[in-house]
Amino acid sequence: MDIAQARSPAAPHPADPGHGARPPQAPVARVHWLRHLGPADWLYALALVAGAGIALYHYGAFMDVYDDIILVIHVPVLAAIGWHWKPFRPFLAAVAVLSLASIALYQGDLARAEQTFFLKYLISSQTAIMWMSALVFIATGAYWLGLVARSDFGERTGSTLTWIATTMGTTGLFVRWYESYLLGPEIGHIPISNLYEVFVLFVLITALLYLYYEGRYATRRLGAFVMLVIAAAVAFLLWYTFTREAHEIQPLIPALQSYWMKVHVPTNFIGYGAFAVSAMVGTAYLLAERGILASRLPALRVLEDLMYKAIAIGFAFFTIATILGALWAAEAWGTYWQWDPKETWALIVWLNYATWLHMRLTKGLRGAVLAWWAVVGLFVTTFAFVGVNMFLTGLHSYGAL
């Protein structure tokens, strides 16, 4: 049965005893998860090890010891993700093939971006990111067509286009990393240093988180909602690109010339992406509760569970990012905390979701209150992400619009 068809206004909550509870079952012997891995799983892991080795061999001269450590750590991390989430493997393989093809076409000359057909129209960094942007808008429309018209084809199209958009955007970031070194070894840096680059990162992380939950909950009905916030981010990205020429690669300012940036920023944006997913799921919950699109959306208990898991994951990563940011601040400024506007609003975001989780886990709060809270939380997070840069000044003002 489709999960969207299982919705009923009187559907019992999983915590309610005696209502649809599963009967006791005989204990099952636990088998170590490694025993479930087949030859394809180990081949995937071997490919990651080989890829890391090739990267160290070819680009080790441009990497310091922290880069080496980060690269080595990513091998088991990406292996675990691919083992748990099988669709991640072809995505990662496609990104690797497209990125390496782009690097090969450049032949060490940045001018070839305008001379080579595939670079100019497909896989230079800026072109790939523009493809990502266009596909995000088309995917959003396809998801909405699928939701409103009950079209499986529309939903499948939206999902496929989102995967392709994410592949192109990720390729664009990797190629941009390489292009920065073509401008000069002193200019080269990981592309997560300015508002343009982190907006691309936000789009990619949010899309990947949604695609994971799409497969995990076996429903594409929420794509119409989550893609709205992703499309809004793309719209801002395009405005920022064309009005400020923000896509131009700039040298890394001294404040960001730190290995901490390479771990703090991605971790932070996993939190932002998860909070965005939870807010859009909360929006779907509020509509379904009022009978709007109710027959087309998953059951309320499913929406509530997804919203909780997204916030739990986002909160965990945001907490780690905040700790990493404090360590970075101690190294850069000699103190862990200075009540800078960015730091203060990061604390507000953290407290907001800490309270949300506290109310759900210890007080048993459920339903529309938490959904509204998740939606409002997105506005709080957005101000911490963008608003502080627009309206406030402080130690983090290097990200101003």
Side-chain angles (χ1 to χ4, degrees), residues 237-313:
L237 177 69
L238 294 176
W239 168 82
Y240 194 48
T241 299
F242 294 123
T243 61
R244 307 296 177 89
E245 297 186 353
H247 63 285
E248 298 290 342
I249 298 175
Q250 302 294 333
L252 201 61
I253 64 174
L256 297 177
Q257 294 176 4
S258 171
Y259 56 87
W260 288 110
M261 182 186 72
K262 301 168 187 176
V263 291
H264 168 69
V265 175
T267 308
N268 208 38
F269 276 84
I270 294 175
Y272 284 156
F275 295 152
V277 170
S278 71
M280 301 317 292
V281 173
T283 302
Y285 183 100
L286 293 170
L287 291 175
E289 187 190 42
R290 287 159 176 75
I292 303 172
L293 299 174
S295 62
R296 293 170 169 83
L297 292 171
L300 291 181
R301 66 182 183 276
V302 173
L303 295 174
E304 189 175 65
D305 184 63
L306 200 164
M307 183 169 51
Y308 159 65
K309 288 180 178 176
I311 286 180
I313 290 175

Side-chain angles (χ1 to χ4, degrees), residues 264 272 318 322 324-330 332-351 384 388 392-398:
H264 168 69
Y272 284 156
F318 194 79
T322 303
L324 293 173
L327 295 173
W328 185 3
W333 302 320
T335 180
Y336 292 98
W337 198 268
Q338 295 201 39
W339 294 104
D340 173 76
K342 197 76 169 182
E343 294 173 342
T344 302
W345 275 93
L347 178 60
I348 292 172
V349 171
W350 187 88
L351 290 172
V388 171
L392 303 175
T393 58
L395 294 171
H396 293 78
S397 295
Y398 44 76

Side-chain angles (χ1 to χ4, degrees), residues 22-36:
R22 295 179 181 178
Q25 298 185 11
V28 179
R30 289 186 176 273
V31 179
H32 197 280
W33 63 271
L34 284 174
R35 296 184 182 178
H36 292 290

Side-chain angles (χ1 to χ4, degrees), residues 12-64:
H13 192 278
D16 293 338
H19 292 82
R22 295 179 181 178
Q25 298 185 11
V28 179
R30 289 186 176 273
V31 179
H32 197 280
W33 63 271
L34 284 174
R35 296 184 182 178
H36 292 290
L37 299 179
D41 298 306
W42 291 112
L43 184 62
Y44 165 71
L46 182 62
L48 290 173
V49 173
I54 293 171
L56 286 171
Y57 177 78
H58 285 285
Y59 306 110
F62 299 99
M63 301 166 65
D64 57 29

Side-chain angles (χ1 to χ4, degrees), residues 160-392:
T160 300
L161 291 176
T162 303
W163 273 112
I164 298 173
T166 306
T167 300
M168 295 304 294
T170 307
T171 299
L173 276 190
F174 279 120
V175 174
R176 184 180 176 87
W177 196 347
Y178 176 73
E179 290 171 351
S180 71
Y181 278 93
L182 291 182
L183 289 173
E186 71 285 354
I187 296 176
H189 61 271
I190 185 172
I192 52 173
S193 63
N194 57 40
L195 206 55
Y196 171 85
E197 293 167 351
V198 297
F199 254 93
V200 176
L201 183 66
F202 171 80
V203 168
L204 298 177
I205 288 177
T206 307
L208 284 172
L209 284 170
Y210 164 71
L211 289 168
Y212 169 75
Y213 284 122
E214 182 178 270
R216 180 72 175 81
Y217 285 85
T219 178
R220 299 187 179 97
R221 301 293 171 84
L222 295 172
F225 293 91
V226 177
M227 290 304 293
L228 285 178
V229 74
I230 296 175
V234 168
F236 177 89
L237 177 69
L238 294 176
W239 168 82
Y240 194 48
T241 299
F242 294 123
T243 61
R244 307 296 177 89
E245 297 186 353
H247 63 285
E248 298 290 342
I249 298 175
Q250 302 294 333
L252 201 61
I253 64 174
L256 297 177
Q257 294 176 4
S258 171
Y259 56 87
W260 288 110
M261 182 186 72
K262 301 168 187 176
V263 291
H264 168 69
V265 175
T267 308
N268 208 38
F269 276 84
I270 294 175
Y272 284 156
F275 295 152
V277 170
S278 71
M280 301 317 292
V281 173
T283 302
Y285 183 100
L286 293 170
L287 291 175
E289 187 190 42
R290 287 159 176 75
I292 303 172
L293 299 174
S295 62
R296 293 170 169 83
L297 292 171
L300 291 181
R301 66 182 183 276
V302 173
L303 295 174
E304 189 175 65
D305 184 63
L306 200 164
M307 183 169 51
Y308 159 65
K309 288 180 178 176
I311 286 180
I313 290 175
F315 180 75
F317 277 94
F318 194 79
T319 300
I320 295 171
T322 303
I323 295 171
L324 293 173
L327 295 173
W328 185 3
E331 181 179 283
W333 302 320
T335 180
Y336 292 98
W337 198 268
Q338 295 201 39
W339 294 104
D340 173 76
K342 197 76 169 182
E343 294 173 342
T344 302
W345 275 93
L347 178 60
I348 292 172
V349 171
W350 187 88
L351 290 172
N352 174 68
Y353 289 106
T355 307
W356 192 101
L357 290 169
H358 171 75
M359 296 301 291
R360 188 187 192 278
L361 295 174
T362 66
K363 302 299 181 181
L365 190 63
R366 296 289 191 277
V369 174
L370 289 183
W372 275 113
W373 198 332
V375 173
V376 173
L378 178 60
F379 289 97
V380 175
T381 304
T382 301
F383 187 83
F385 175 18
V386 181
V388 171
N389 301 73
M390 295 175 64
F391 305 114
L392 303 175

